[in-house]
Amino acid sequence: MKFPALVFGFLSVSSILIFSPSATNSASGQCVQLDQSVQVSISGSSPAKRRNNIELRSEGSCTGSYGVTTGTQVHVGPGQAVQERNVRQTLRGDGKNQAGSGRTIQIRVNPQIDVRNPADKYRNLIDR
């Protein structure tokens, strides 16, 4: 007796799992803006002076689009580095797309790395 009840319960749960996705609204992907950069200074001097100005904007409805900016700045030497980076990125939707009513996802990955190189203070002795 318990076996048919178990089978009936399994079939009931299976039918709910099969038909429930069609009863829900479909998902629509929003737009994504990604800015990825790295600023590195390998020096025996003080840490680098850095500016990383990023402006990410999204205007209008937007679905399924993306914008990506990348940048790399590397300094190797005895002096103090000055690294500056300016980014302006704008995604513009046509305003007709009602599926993309959510906010645009904005991702910033911008590590700034200073590596101290004690050998730089002896570089001038070698050049003589």
Side-chain angles (χ1 to χ4, degrees), residues 16-28:
I16 291 171
L17 292 176
I18 290 171
F19 294 113
S20 66
S22 64
T24 60
N25 292 333
S26 62
S28 59

Side-chain angles (χ1 to χ4, degrees), residues 55-92:
E55 181 182 328
L56 302 178
R57 294 180 22 191
S58 178
E59 300 171 356
S61 297
C62 187
T63 300
S65 294
Y66 64 91
V68 177
T69 53
T70 61
T72 303
Q73 295 177 325
V74 178
H75 166 259
V76 178
Q80 182 182 30
V82 177
Q83 297 171 322
E84 183 170 342
R85 182 172 177 266
N86 297 298
V87 173
R88 287 188 183 151
Q89 184 187 109
T90 303
L91 288 180
R92 290 187 179 94

Side-chain angles (χ1 to χ4, degrees), residues 33-109:
Q33 292 179 291
L34 169 67
D35 178 65
Q36 184 276 321
S37 71
V38 63
Q39 293 174 310
V40 178
S41 175
I42 302 171
S43 175
S45 185
S46 57
K49 292 182 181 179
R50 294 190 178 94
R51 290 181 54 175
N52 195 14
N53 303 314
I54 305 165
E55 181 182 328
L56 302 178
R57 294 180 22 191
S58 178
E59 300 171 356
S61 297
C62 187
T63 300
S65 294
Y66 64 91
V68 177
T69 53
T70 61
T72 303
Q73 295 177 325
V74 178
H75 166 259
V76 178
Q80 182 182 30
V82 177
Q83 297 171 322
E84 183 170 342
R85 182 172 177 266
N86 297 298
V87 173
R88 287 188 183 151
Q89 184 187 109
T90 303
L91 288 180
R92 290 187 179 94
D94 60 9
K96 297 177 186 176
N97 186 351
Q98 298 304 315
S101 60
R103 294 180 49 143
T104 296
I105 298 167
Q106 297 178 336
I107 303 168
R108 293 173 173 90
V109 182

